[in-house]
Amino acid sequence: MESLQSDEVDRAAECLVRAHHVIALTGAGLSVESGIPPFRGPGGIWTRYGEPPMDGYQRFLEDPRAAWEERLNPSGPMRELWETLAAARPNPGHLALVELEDIGILRCTITQNVDDLHRLAGSRALLEIHGNATLIRCIQCVARFPRSAIDFASLPPRCPTCDGILKSDTVAFGEPIPPDVLGRCFEEAELADCMIVAGTSATVYPAAQFPNTIQERGGDLVEVNPYETELTALCQHTLRGTAAELLPQIVERVKTLRVGL
Ligand code: APR
């Protein structure tokens, strides 16, 4: 088994070096080794507590003050989630993607994670399609602010730029993805001929559309996941294991290959 996986790491690395425009799609699995549980599958938050209501955004619009009171004083699973996020630090999986970016192989990382760990690890070409839990966004002008820049004395807080209502930057269920980020994600998916798909069940759209778009255009998919997903059958390379374990191995092989070029 070991040698088979090692061969697959080699082939995945060759695929990345051969490609012209490599991007990555990451999900909750990438942050499991940073202490943040996934949403689905074994130990998943939704698995344990059930999926949240799909109309989270409508509820926010109906009563933004109540939504903010709940956000500032969370309880139950959401309290657990925000506490683990606040304590989490990047792991070798995050750092491996930064290294791939530094050596010019990885052009962009699209993450579904709101945990800020890619940014903390040093990713620069980063698109946070579901937002970032440390940021606040205006639902009118889409301006984003660090939490520290916002006064929560009166709720809902208002946008310093346009006086619009402010919301956490994290995208709620039922909320449209902010057009600036979504547009960039589709651009990158159109440019890419190879995608690393790490730590995602690839079941939530529009993010799950990107690997399909790349595969339909003849591009390659490299999956890193301990378990099979909806995407596995479409992938040219499938690496069974954790992101923190396998992504650094891929980077080492890529660097060795590049030296030999
Ligand atoms: N390394 C790599 N992958 C892992 C690891 C690990 N250590 N542990 C678990 N996984 C895999 C699981 O097998 C699963 O396929 O990560 C995936 C996590 O899937 P989900 O929990 O469904 O998370 P994600 O795909 O990011 O969910 C998408 O759904 O609930 C919404 O907004 C939320 O952004 C989230 C979106």
Side-chain angles (χ1 to χ4, degrees), residues 42-99:
I45 291 180
W46 307 154
T47 311
R48 281 185 283 145
Y49 299 104
E51 291 245 358
M54 290 298 124
D55 61 350
Y57 190 49
Q58 284 62 38
R59 292 164 179 240
F60 176 87
L61 294 176
E62 278 154 21
D63 190 347
R65 180 191 177 84
W68 268 108
E69 276 159 0
E70 193 184 319
R71 182 56 186 252
L72 296 172
N73 313 292
S75 57
M78 292 319 287
R79 182 182 195 87
E80 181 192 327
L81 182 61
W82 300 134
E83 283 172 356
T84 48
L85 256 69
R89 287 290 159 266
N91 66 57
H94 297 100
L95 300 171
L97 292 176
V98 173
E99 207 174 346

Side-chain angles (χ1 to χ4, degrees), residues 11-250:
R11 284 192 290 273
E14 284 153 14
C15 175
L16 297 181
V17 169
R18 229 183 10 251
H20 301 290
H21 195 101
V22 177
I23 66 174
L25 176 68
T26 70
L30 203 74
S31 298
V32 164
E33 279 123 323
S34 296
I36 305 174
F39 295 97
R40 299 168 188 83
I45 291 180
W46 307 154
T47 311
R48 281 185 283 145
Y49 299 104
E51 291 245 358
M54 290 298 124
D55 61 350
Y57 190 49
Q58 284 62 38
R59 292 164 179 240
F60 176 87
L61 294 176
E62 278 154 21
D63 190 347
R65 180 191 177 84
W68 268 108
E69 276 159 0
E70 193 184 319
R71 182 56 186 252
L72 296 172
N73 313 292
S75 57
M78 292 319 287
R79 182 182 195 87
E80 181 192 327
L81 182 61
W82 300 134
E83 283 172 356
T84 48
L85 256 69
R89 287 290 159 266
N91 66 57
H94 297 100
L95 300 171
L97 292 176
V98 173
E99 207 174 346
L100 268 185
E101 191 181 333
D102 290 346
I103 63 176
I105 291 275
L106 185 63
R107 303 295 193 82
C108 179
T109 297
I110 300 173
T111 188
Q112 299 166 87
N113 301 343
V114 299
D115 56 31
D116 201 38
L117 294 182
H118 282 295
R119 198 189 292 256
L120 283 175
S123 289
R124 295 173 307 282
L126 178 66
L127 297 169
E128 295 167 307
I129 190 169
H130 294 160
N132 183 307
T134 70
L135 298 177
I136 309 290
R137 174 171 33 89
C138 173
I139 63 172
Q140 196 161 281
C141 72
V142 198
R144 293 177 180 84
F145 307 91
R147 238 183 135 98
S148 54
I150 302 300
D151 173 7
F152 295 102
S154 71
L155 298 177
R158 312 299 291 208
C159 175
T161 312
C162 77
D163 201 42
I165 289 178
L166 292 176
K167 182 186 162 294
S168 161
D169 184 40
T170 53
V171 175
F173 280 105
E175 181 177 0
I177 306 281
D180 54 345
V181 177
L182 189 59
R184 285 285 299 115
C185 290
F186 275 109
E187 277 169 25
E188 286 294 332
E190 283 304 321
L191 289 169
D193 60 349
C194 181
M195 175 180 253
I196 300 168
V197 185
T200 181
S201 59
T203 52
V204 174
Y205 286 75
Q209 179 55 43
F210 305 136
N212 288 288
T213 301
I214 292 165
Q215 198 267 339
E216 281 153 18
R217 277 189 306 100
D220 292 322
L221 301 177
V222 176
E223 183 174 62
V224 177
N225 197 312
Y227 305 104
E228 187 149 319
T229 72
E230 313 230 333
L231 212 56
T232 302
L234 298 179
C235 295
Q236 283 62 39
H237 303 286
T238 298
L239 300 162
R240 285 279 162 264
T242 70
E245 181 199 329
L246 288 168
L247 289 174
Q249 288 180 25
I250 295 174

